[in-house]
Amino acid sequence: MDINLKGKRILVTGAGRGIGQAIAKGMLESGAVVALHYHRSLTGIEELQQRFKEKAIPVSGDLNQPNDSQAIYESAIASMGGLDVLVNNAGIAIHSSLTKVDQDWLSDWQATLQVNLISAALLCKRAIQTFSNQEGGKIINITSRAAFRGDTSDYWAYAASKGGMVSLTRTIARNFGKQNIMSFNLAPGFDKTDMAKDFSDEYGEEILLNDIALSQLTAPADLVPMIILLASGLADHATGTTIDFNAGSYVH
């Protein structure tokens, strides 16, 4: 099936590397105009701009700052003339041992929840307001298997933030479907990304490989066909669902 996203206006957070960059690239290749959110590094964004020209629109902002979420959204829709699909991909996973003093441990929690959940929720709120004034829209939230099976105690906040994101997505699906607003969870396990590399460096890649049913870790590009399908409108009756992409490491 050749899915054409021509005419779709899409915002992808964390589009400068890893899963976000792969998603943005796939959307652009399918004909969409994409607002590419990034925080610090422009390298991955510039690569997409060089190839896709005016269809790839950079939008900077720090999702750890509440006001930036608003600015990111406003910049994206102003540049594209509206929005049809929001992909909340950006996320952080801070190693935070229980041996840390409470103040530092809580600071790690606050940053994780702000980036992974609260900023995503605000972007969803704004997207719903936009979608309600048009023919609807799609929200695709990149969650994690950690939302369902938990994580190590050092990444407790990460698991909790992704669990909240799952509930956020389901609530949107249940409340706004009749306005043609659909929301989906895509839940990866460990992928070949910089974020997963920190865990791999600490615990070893062999542990990660022994944890999955396949012979190799999931690559960011492996998620892209499913995300394009969800963005296309061909799978709207799956709204509220969670689609696992964890190489069989957790099945529920």
Side-chain angles (χ1 to χ4, degrees), residues 34-249:
V34 183
L36 310 164
H37 161 258
Y38 69 98
H39 179 202
R40 293 189 180 91
S41 176
L42 256 175
T43 304
I45 302 297
E46 289 173 339
E47 291 175 9
L48 294 174
Q49 279 188 291
Q50 288 171 6
R51 178 175 173 187
F52 297 100
K53 309 303 180 185
E54 69 279 356
K55 287 189 174 182
I57 302 168
V59 179
S60 66
D62 181 2
L63 291 173
N64 198 24
Q65 304 299 321
N67 290 338
D68 276 22
S69 298
Q70 187 94 337
I72 290 163
Y73 188 85
E74 295 296 340
S75 178
I77 64 170
S79 299
M80 297 187 294
L83 185 72
D84 301 294
V85 181
L86 167 65
V87 182
N88 277 313
N89 161 77
I92 59 173
I94 302 173
H95 181 281
S96 191
S97 170
L98 291 175
T99 60
K100 275 190 173 182
V101 298
D102 285 356
Q103 183 177 355
D104 293 342
W105 190 75
L106 287 172
S107 178
D108 291 341
W109 267 78
Q110 288 163 352
T112 302
L113 290 174
Q114 180 63 49
V115 173
N116 294 3
L117 181 58
I118 298 172
S119 289
L122 181 56
L123 290 172
C124 286
K125 177 178 182 289
R126 294 304 312 276
I128 289 167
Q129 291 169 340
T130 298
F131 297 159
S132 296
N133 292 319
Q134 57 188 43
E135 295 180 355
K138 311 284 186 288
I139 294 172
I140 303 169
N141 289 328
I142 308 302
T143 57
S144 171
R145 70 175 183 187
F148 303 96
R149 77 169 204 172
D151 211 318
T152 67
S153 61
D154 294 334
Y155 292 93
W156 191 352
Y158 176 77
S161 70
K162 292 300 185 177
M165 204 175 192
V166 169
S167 294
L168 166 72
T169 308
R170 291 173 174 174
T171 299
I172 293 169
R174 288 176 56 81
N175 283 273
F176 298 100
K178 285 186 170 59
Q179 294 171 242
N180 200 33
I181 299 170
M182 314 303 168
S183 63
F184 311 92
N185 288 307
L186 197 74
F190 277 104
D191 302 319
K192 292 181 179 178
T193 62
D194 292 341
M195 185 185 295
K197 185 177 183 300
D198 294 338
F199 190 98
S200 178
D201 289 344
E202 181 176 357
Y203 296 100
E205 186 169 328
E206 186 176 348
I207 290 178
L208 303 184
L209 288 171
N210 288 337
D211 192 43
I212 64 176
L214 302 183
S215 58
Q216 58 188 9
L217 291 177
T218 305
D222 293 329
L223 282 68
V224 174
M226 180 58 69
I227 293 171
I228 291 175
L229 175 66
L230 297 175
S232 72
L234 294 172
D236 281 356
H237 282 262
T239 188
T241 196
T242 297
I243 300 169
D244 295 317
F245 254 86
N246 59 51
S249 61

